[in-house]
Amino acid sequence: MIYFDNSATTAINPSVLDAYMKTSQRIMGNPSSLHHLGNQASRLLSESRKQIAEGLSVTPEEIFFTSGGTEGDNWVIKGTAIEKHGFGKHIIISAVEHSAVSKAAAQLVEFGFEISVLPVDKRGRAKVEELESLIRKDTILVSIMGVNNEMGAIQPIKEIGEVLESYPTIHFHVDAVQALGKVPVSKYITPRVDFATFSAHKFHGPKGVGFIYWRKGRRIAPLLNGGGQEGQKRSGTENVAGIVAMARAVRLQLEDQELKNKREANIKEYLMDSLGKYDKVTLFSEDSDDFAPHIICFGLKDIKGEVLVHAFEKKDIIISTTSACSSKSKVSGSTLHAMGVADDKAITAVRASLNAESTMVEAEQFMVAFNQLQEQFSKINS
């Protein structure tokens, strides 16, 4: 099987799985317990927090464990709303945010908050020049993803941060779920970024565990109340085995990152050059420094994305659609729609996403399969 759906989830690294299993078997204590078993578990949490912080060049006190990206996004957005509603009820998000951000923000409308949407250009990148016109006296949060999960567009986080330097009371959140190990840390954790969200299963860690970076000095309200874990900020007994495994996954993901990214970029270049030779193929992603090295979004004229996905699946190749599908209502909420792509093209979109273990041989096999499929579809449509 060729697995090119790594933006959806990644296979757990064997070393990471080993760490998870050994911790599960050997460490049974609750980290909050006072006895030696609890102390063992607590020490592992501290070591994991330190290891993750070192990878991101932040302090351990700025790392807080969660159940994954969705919880992290909801925590920052709703936690900011709860904490700062007395100062304002206005939030800015981009037009291409993951639903964990856009739907969390939309729910706040029911409680009197207003949401402004920062548009993107035809490449899917946020229009920084329009941000200042959206900022109001009651703006409390700007939330922009680091790397778009559909196109792979790297968002201009540094430039947005420079705009926000003039507005120090506004929280700046980055959904960095697709970014870790794919672009340099400096592109999504800048001096002006206050919060960043991560999810382990996007970088060969276990599902159901993640973390947020929380810059010192900022305040958000907890969403989960109870035993006061995570410094009274996120109650609930910590997933010790998952956290230990995630810390190892972070270290492995960032290890030799430049070399891994170059390998992914070479495969992406080959795929995009090969696909670009077909008249009926539309390339939505770009092969440039403004795009992550692991995501290729394209479409085959007149063939719905889900049809192409299932056709590849029959050849034992796994890819995915983007959030655009045959339903027009879903197309209207997609990154492609925000980029101004017509619906008849948007519904053809599929996404192939690589990882550091992807090979050129797999890419060549992918293209052999694609050539066969496009010939079959051409005969059917002729």
Side-chain angles (χ1 to χ4, degrees), residues 7 42-43 50 69-70 81 106 109 114 122 210 259 277 301 313 345 349-350 356 377:
S7 287
S42 181
R43 281 197 299 270
K50 181 180 178 182
T70 295
V109 174
E114 294 182 61
K122 292 183 178 180
L259 180 63
K277 294 175 182 177
K301 186 178 180 182
E313 187 176 12
K345 285 190 175 182
V350 295
F377 289 129

Side-chain angles (χ1 to χ4, degrees), residues 5-33:
D5 194 20
N6 291 278
S7 287
T9 195
T10 57
I12 190 167
N13 182 290
S15 174
V16 172
L17 179 59
D18 183 59
Y20 182 89
M21 294 296 293
K22 286 180 177 177
T23 305
S24 296
Q25 292 165 349
R26 299 174 183 175
I27 306 299
M28 63 171 291
N30 185 320
S32 298
S33 296

